[in-house]
Amino acid sequence: MPVWQLHCCSLSHHATSLFLLSHRGVWSAGGLEVSTGKVSVIEAMNGSTVLLPCTYSSCIGIKNLYFNWKYNDNGTLLKLCEAEIPNEEVEPDVAIYHDRVEFVGSSKTSNISILLWNITFEDEGEYICFARNPKEKNRNHSAVFTLIVVDQMREVDNTLTVIIVSALGGVIGLVIIVMVIKAMVAKFLRKDDEKNKECLVSSSGNDNTENGLSGAKADNKGTPKA
């Protein structure tokens, strides 16, 4: 088969795939996405208030976006709140089904987060943020946020940090001591060299006086008379 026919077939197949995907409403890129952020697991103190974050995004925008929050109670999903957002400019009228839940999101920032007040150990578990966008042929997506309730926050073990810092301090101190010793030794060596030079100059002068002068005197003696 000629090369141009192969390219033609490939393009045709690719176009057909895109056509089917677009009509099924399952665009893989830029579709509706829901996210609970980079940290989806958090530990919180018993009795504190916790933010359950959730945001949505869609490259083609939203229309009558439906969302809800649910709590996974050992396999049973309990609805905490729900609402519908007509568009990005309209704030949702949120229905709350839990007396300690507060909606703190905003359609202008694509934020559908909630607060959970005065948490207890019974509140521990998975919280599911769900959204559905009719503008994308009811494409939907969800994200899970896990809450762990504790009596007290875990202390960070700084033992390794202390050891490293101590080791570095010891090394630095040792280097300084070595440098000081080297400086002192070099100073003493310089003094010894100066003393040695003085001794050498002095001794060489004495030798020249003794040998040289005697030699000179010998040279200056007159020739013996015959």
Side-chain angles (χ1 to χ4, degrees):
M1 181 181 291
V3 175
W4 67 269
Q5 288 185 1
L6 287 173
H7 284 294
C8 181
C9 291
S10 299
L11 289 172
S12 176
H13 176 71
H14 184 60
T16 302
S17 299
L18 288 177
F19 177 81
L20 291 174
L21 287 173
S22 63
H23 277 69
R24 291 176 183 172
V26 290
W27 288 98
S28 58
L32 177 68
E33 289 187 0
V34 175
S35 173
T36 55
K38 294 181 179 180
V39 179
S40 58
V41 179
I42 188 172
E43 287 187 358
M45 287 280 292
N46 181 31
S48 64
T49 298
V50 178
L51 172 68
L52 305 183
C54 187
T55 58
Y56 62 86
S57 62
S58 174
C59 66
I60 64 174
I62 65 166
K63 184 177 181 181
N64 298 325
L65 176 81
Y66 169 80
F67 74 88
N68 66 44
W69 274 92
K70 292 181 179 180
Y71 171 65
N72 185 1
D73 185 12
N74 296 322
T76 301
L77 298 180
L78 304 178
K79 191 179 292 184
L80 303 177
C81 67
E82 65 179 344
E84 189 174 283
I85 306 175
N87 55 61
E88 289 89 346
E89 302 300 323
V90 179
E91 295 297 338
D93 183 13
V94 183
I96 305 293
Y97 305 115
H98 194 289
D99 58 355
R100 290 186 288 113
V101 169
E102 178 184 353
F103 179 75
V104 293
S106 173
S107 59
K108 295 180 181 180
T109 55
S110 303
N111 188 341
I112 49 178
S113 304
I114 61 174
L115 282 178
L116 186 60
W117 290 85
N118 301 322
I119 62 172
T120 66
F121 290 104
E122 294 180 354
D123 296 324
E124 187 173 87
E126 294 181 344
Y127 291 80
I128 304 168
C129 179
F130 171 87
R132 181 177 64 243
N133 189 17
K135 192 172 183 179
E136 296 181 73
K137 298 188 180 297
N138 285 324
R139 178 182 176 88
N140 60 77
H141 194 236
S142 62
V144 178
F145 187 90
T146 303
L147 174 64
I148 300 174
V149 183
V150 296
D151 275 327
Q152 59 182 3
M153 302 303 291
R154 288 182 297 181
E155 296 182 359
V156 178
D157 187 3
N158 293 322
T159 304
L160 181 59
T161 304
V162 172
I163 292 174
I164 293 174
V165 172
S166 300
L168 289 176
V171 171
I172 294 173
L174 181 61
V175 170
I176 293 175
I177 292 173
V178 171
M179 291 177 66
V180 171
I181 293 174
K182 283 185 175 180
M184 293 177 65
V185 171
K187 186 176 180 180
F188 287 134
L189 289 176
R190 283 197 298 271
K191 287 184 177 180
D192 289 340
D193 288 341
E194 291 175 358
K195 289 182 179 179
N196 291 333
K197 288 180 180 178
E198 291 177 0
C199 292
L200 288 173
V201 170
S202 176
S203 62
S204 62
N206 292 333
D207 291 341
N208 289 334
T209 301
E210 294 176 358
N211 300 328
L213 288 178
S214 61
K217 292 179 179 178
D219 291 339
N220 290 332
K221 290 181 180 180
T223 304
K225 292 182 180 179

